[in-house]
Structures are given as C-alpha cells and as structure tokens.
Amino acid sequence: MTYGQPFVGTDSGPELLRQAGLRKMLSALGWRVEDVPDLEFEALQLSEKSGTFEGNAKNHKLVGAGCEMLANAVEKTLKQKRFPLILGGDHSIGMGSLAGILRAQPETGVIWIDAHADLNTPALSESGNMHGMPVGMLMEGVAPDHRQIPGLEWLADGPRLSPDSIVYVGLRDVDPAERRLIQSLDIAAYTMHEIDRYGIGQVMEMALDHLCAKNPNRPLHLSYDIDAVDPVLAPATGTTVRGGLTFREAHYVAEAVAYTGNLASAEIVELNPSLSCGEGAEATVELGLQLITSFMGKSII
Ligand SMILES: [Mn+2]
C-alpha cells in the first residue's frame, strides 16, 4: 500500500524484506512461516456509484478497499490461531490491521511505536494523507461516521479501539488537534521526552503495565512505524523527524514486547527505499528486518 501518503515506493517494503532474508530469519527462530503474496490493491474494482466525499482524505476509496482486504485476512489468520505479521506499506494499513484484530480479539492492547500519533480523521487532517489516520479512524469518540466516506463504509459497524487500550512510544511530531485528543481522552503517550527522562527500560515497563496490569494475559498488537527510529539510522521513510529512537532503544522496544509472551500480531510500516540513496535504503531495510526478528523473539542470549 502506498496510497495513504504522497510518495511512490512504500509498497516495495515487503519484497525487500523478503529478499533480505526475512523468511529464513523467522524459521531460524522456530516459526513455521506461510508467506502470503502481497495483497493487490491496484486491481480493486472501485465502485463509482458509491458517491463522493467532500472531506479531507486522499485516495479514500483505494485505501478503504485495501484495508478491507487486509482486515479480512488478519481476522481470518487470528481466528485460525496463527500470528499475522503484516508488512507495509504506508501506515494507512493500520486501519485494516486494527479492524481485523478488534473483530477477532476485541480485548487486544495496542503498542504504537511512531514519531506521529496517527490520530487524525478527515475532519482534523491538514494534509488529507490517510497514513496519519489509522488510530483516529478506529478510536472510540474520535472515529467519523464511516458511512459518509466511500471505501470505508465497511468500517461503520466494526468494533472501536478504546482510548485506554493503546500506548504510544516515540512521539515527537504531534498535530495540535491530536494533542488535544491525547489529553482529553487521557491516552498513554510516552514521547521522546519521557524516553529521555526515564530511559527506555522504564518507559516500556510503564507502557506494558498500562495495557496489561488488569489483564496479564491480554493479547497485544505491535504497530511499528520505522519513522520512530532516528532518521540517521532509518533515512528511507516518508516523514522523517529528527531526534528519534537510537538503535538500542528501537530494539529494546521490540524485545520488551516480545518478552511479555502476549504478542499476538504485529506490523512494520513506512519503509520506503526510494527515498534514500542506496546505502541509506539498504540500512533502513536491514534495520526493519532486525527489528522484526527482535519482536518475533530473537534474544541476545
Ligand atoms: Mn505512523
């Protein structure tokens, strides 16, 4: 998926991760891997009769229809008691992942690793880029009436994410409307400021405690936007923001989540090799691959 943001190339992430040896690395960790081919969004027949939408959401028919395919695939995989590892693509796919996860396991807690809060909606967004909306579109009290948005009608009756069921880690570029929502809904947000203040170890302890204190067996979903990592280490992504996670902080996040034993699904998004020269692109893909192996259970010893 590349239609949730303005740059070409975000859809090549999955293929590059495969080429870099993802399957072999997962097998080495003991996973039995079924590699499902990329979902083909371009071939979707977009209904012209479903009307127009005046709000600010670019490519809403294509993003919406693509996310519906993904939601169905994720729901099915979870119901088969298997682990969906979702490779993006831009972060608009988070809408599909979350929708499918909440249908299969509504009690899921979500760990959102990102420089951005992705809490926009068509009514709040300045850019209209839907990769900034996956959380907002599913959040209780924030989500719009999806019946009004062609491509997203299927989301109208789906379950919603409760504000106390998500934690953010790594935020450093938050829109004013998002900031107001985080405050008014009392969403747990561990920004780079808290990471500096408490250290990543304590931040992850607080974040996981927030989700799991009342329900230690709760399934967890990890949504890892590579732009959470400092652009010096991950330059090949669409919306770089300076001052991000260091190499070890980025890995520690993944390791801490794996260590809970509760991780039930995960996605990694926004790798865009076309946005950096050869070396930067390679380094970003390699980092993505290493982070996947960390949250899929690779430990140092
Ligand atoms: Mn994001």
Side-chain angles (χ1 to χ4, degrees):
M1 169 63 75
T2 188
Y3 301 99
Q5 49 83 61
F7 306 107
V8 295
T10 315
D11 50 350
S12 61
E15 194 45 41
L16 290 164
L17 287 166
R18 287 191 189 95
Q19 284 170 15
L22 176 61
R23 186 179 184 135
K24 216 171 128 197
M25 289 180 83
L26 290 171
S27 299
L29 292 171
W31 290 91
R32 281 181 292 151
V33 183
E34 183 197 355
D35 188 0
V36 182
D38 289 1
L39 299 177
E40 290 296 340
F41 303 131
E42 278 78 5
L44 288 167
Q45 296 297 315
L46 303 176
S47 165
E48 291 302 324
K49 65 176 174 2
S50 60
T52 54
F53 173 61
E54 300 301 324
N56 201 9
K58 291 174 186 159
N59 305 319
H60 52 86
K61 286 187 185 176
L62 192 47
V63 171
C67 283
E68 184 178 16
M69 282 174 83
L70 178 59
N72 292 337
V74 167
E75 181 185 12
K76 188 174 142 206
T77 305
L78 282 169
K79 285 185 170 165
Q80 291 168 337
K81 308 278 179 217
R82 300 193 298 168
F83 185 110
L85 173 61
I86 305 144
L87 310 176
D90 70 62
H91 220 165
S92 67
I93 65 163
M95 263 185 286
S97 309
L98 283 179
I101 288 162
L102 292 171
R103 290 200 301 240
Q105 302 182 144
E107 71 281 21
T108 299
V110 177
I111 303 148
W112 203 268
I113 313 298
D114 207 315
H116 312 88
D118 296 350
L119 196 47
N120 272 298
T121 62
L124 299 175
S125 173
E126 283 171 27
S127 69
N129 293 327
M130 295 193 78
H131 74 157
M133 304 185 191
V135 180
M137 295 299 260
L138 271 293
M139 177 76 74
E140 225 173 75
V142 179
D145 179 1
H146 296 99
R147 282 179 201 84
Q148 308 299 321
I149 311 173
L152 287 157
E153 300 92 338
W154 61 277
L155 262 174
D157 300 314
R160 297 283 174 262
L161 183 68
S162 155
D164 63 7
S165 292
I166 184 169
V167 295
Y168 288 114
V169 177
L171 299 185
R172 56 193 182 277
D173 183 12
V174 179
D175 296 341
E178 293 179 308
R179 188 176 303 131
R180 284 193 292 275
L181 285 173
I182 289 172
Q183 286 167 351
S184 65
L185 297 171
D186 201 18
I187 299 172
Y190 301 94
T191 71
M192 291 312 298
H193 176 85
E194 279 74 35
I195 294 172
D196 289 339
R197 181 168 181 186
Y198 299 108
I200 196 67
Q202 202 178 329
V203 160
M204 286 312 293
E205 206 173 309
M206 292 189 286
L208 293 167
D209 200 53
H210 179 84
L211 291 177
C212 299
K214 282 188 210 143
N215 180 1
N217 297 319
R218 177 181 211 181
L220 297 175
H221 170 62
L222 175 65
S223 190
Y224 210 128
D225 189 326
I226 199 76
D227 75 20
V229 184
D230 194 274
V232 169
L233 299 163
T237 185
T239 41
T240 53
V241 191
R242 292 200 294 173
L245 301 175
T246 64
F247 184 83
R248 270 309 305 159
E249 285 167 347
H251 274 279
Y252 187 88
V253 166
E255 291 160 7
V257 172
Y259 192 72
T260 64
N262 290 12
L263 192 63
S265 53
E267 69 194 347
I268 189 155
V269 297
E270 299 281 353
L271 297 161
N272 190 344
S274 67
L275 292 178
S276 184
C277 57
E279 233 173 75
E282 237 172 73
T284 308
V285 171
E286 184 61 29
L287 178 68
L289 186 67
Q290 290 172 351
L291 291 174
I292 293 172
T293 57
S294 276
F295 65 66
M296 295 304 278
K298 186 174 197 283
S299 57
I300 296 174
I301 292 182

